[in-house]
Amino acid sequence: MTFRLATWNVNSIRSRLDRVVPWLDRADIDVLALQETKCRDDQFPTERFEEAGYEVAHIGLSQWNGVAIASRVGLEDVEVSFPGQPGFDKDAGASLLSAPVVEARAIGATCGGVRVWSLYVPNGRALDDPHYEYKLEWLAALRDTGKKWLADDPAAQIALVGDWNIAPTDDDVWSPEFFEGKTHVSEPERDAFQAIVDTGFSDVMRPFAPGPGVYTYWDYTQLRFPRKEGMRIDFILTSPTLAARATDASVDREERKGKSPSDHAPVVAEFGD
């Protein structure tokens, strides 16, 4: 049997619900990780997913951020936030491990034998913004935790999926010159992403979609989508044993088209036995 895993920054689940739920069936998705749900737990449209045959785990604290996992192959051992995940003190304008609120940016669950983490990495905002330092601390904490997971169980099947807000190489942006001096492409961010890869996690889509021009995000402004001016910032990173099962991966670019799309398209990976 195959296992189909997807990640999608939906930019408000309540605004995209009538796109997301039908797509699950159409794309034959077993597990979907969602980011930027932009709602509290009591506002999440759980019933619509359950009617479609999916269990849901969600964490949302306000109209910002929010992550979820929808699964039709089981949903066990739900965990909100990964160990060591830092918070951000918006009043102090600083990232703090002891910040009063850890934002709704990570949720994990075991689905069909795979430990899936839906992740919404902090944006960073600007290179001189405290949120940028928060982003780097957040990624460093994820690296350390992921490294420990693999050390504790080298055979673990783990998927770190979501909106990483990083374009790891120049091939992952439509114009390196346009992004010069901006977040998402800075050397520290790219190094932080690579450090997670270096612990043993693999970008499963790249072998199936090599080269430039493969994007997952297009800004709503300046006709970025029809002009093919995008970024690849959404990823499915998997542990070695899960990566060895990968048989296909792609971006469903069609979901960036039509009425009221998200500015991100879903990334889908398929795994064999």
Side-chain angles (χ1 to χ4, degrees):
M1 293 181 62
T2 59
F3 175 82
R4 287 177 61 80
L5 170 64
T7 183
W8 195 354
N9 178 322
V10 291
N11 191 16
S12 174
I13 185 58
R14 289 177 293 174
S15 298
R16 317 292 170 217
L17 185 62
D18 289 336
R19 294 186 67 117
V20 173
V21 173
W23 179 81
L24 283 169
D25 179 64
R26 192 165 63 249
D28 193 26
I29 301 300
D30 293 307
V31 180
L32 172 63
L34 297 162
Q35 301 85 44
E36 274 204 280
T37 57
K38 293 186 175 181
C39 65
R40 301 187 309 269
D41 288 347
D42 64 302
Q43 298 172 316
F44 190 90
T46 302
E47 289 186 5
R48 282 288 301 276
F49 284 87
E50 290 178 341
E51 290 169 358
Y54 291 80
E55 298 177 83
V56 177
H58 174 260
I59 177 63
L61 304 175
S62 66
Q63 75 272 31
W64 310 112
N65 308 321
V67 286
I69 298 172
S71 172
R72 66 181 184 185
V73 292
L75 190 74
E76 301 174 342
D77 302 323
V78 174
E79 185 176 358
V80 173
S81 302
F82 58 82
Q85 181 180 327
F88 186 76
D89 189 337
K90 64 179 180 180
D91 295 323
S95 56
L96 301 167
L97 289 173
S98 58
V101 177
V102 174
E103 296 180 307
R105 292 184 177 275
I107 191 168
T110 300
C111 310
V114 176
R115 188 67 177 168
V116 177
W117 279 91
S118 179
L119 306 170
Y120 180 41
V121 175
N123 178 281
R125 299 176 183 167
L127 299 183
D128 59 353
D129 193 292
H131 208 258
Y132 179 77
E133 295 302 321
Y134 167 48
K135 179 178 190 174
L136 296 179
E137 289 183 16
W138 203 96
L139 289 162
L142 179 61
R143 175 202 63 209
D144 292 345
T145 297
K147 184 176 181 179
K148 185 177 186 304
W149 286 334
L150 294 182
D152 289 345
D153 183 5
Q157 300 196 62
I158 305 171
L160 308 179
V161 308
D163 178 358
W164 291 74
N165 273 315
I166 299 172
T169 73
D170 284 352
D171 279 352
D172 298 312
V173 294
W174 66 272
S175 170
E177 293 75 21
F178 176 85
F179 289 99
E180 186 173 353
K182 297 181 173 66
T183 60
H184 293 53
V185 301
S186 71
E187 186 174 347
E189 290 168 285
R190 287 179 167 179
D191 287 348
F193 184 91
Q194 185 61 43
I196 293 172
V197 172
D198 289 344
T199 66
F201 289 93
S202 300
D203 170 10
V204 297
M205 194 184 80
R206 184 49 93 191
F208 299 99
V214 179
Y215 306 132
T216 65
Y217 165 84
W218 302 260
D219 194 283
Y220 287 126
T221 64
Q222 304 296 315
L223 298 174
R224 294 291 185 213
F225 182 69
R227 292 168 63 176
K228 300 181 180 179
E229 296 176 349
M231 307 176 73
R232 190 170 80 105
I233 59 175
D234 302 85
F235 296 90
I236 296 176
L237 300 188
T238 61
S239 60
T241 54
L242 185 57
R245 295 174 53 195
T247 58
D248 194 19
S250 61
V251 180
D252 191 344
R253 194 173 179 276
E254 293 300 307
E255 289 305 314
R256 181 58 176 81
K257 302 177 182 179
K259 182 180 179 181
S260 300
S262 170
D263 44 5
H264 295 249
V267 177
V268 182
E270 184 170 295
F271 303 88
D273 292 334

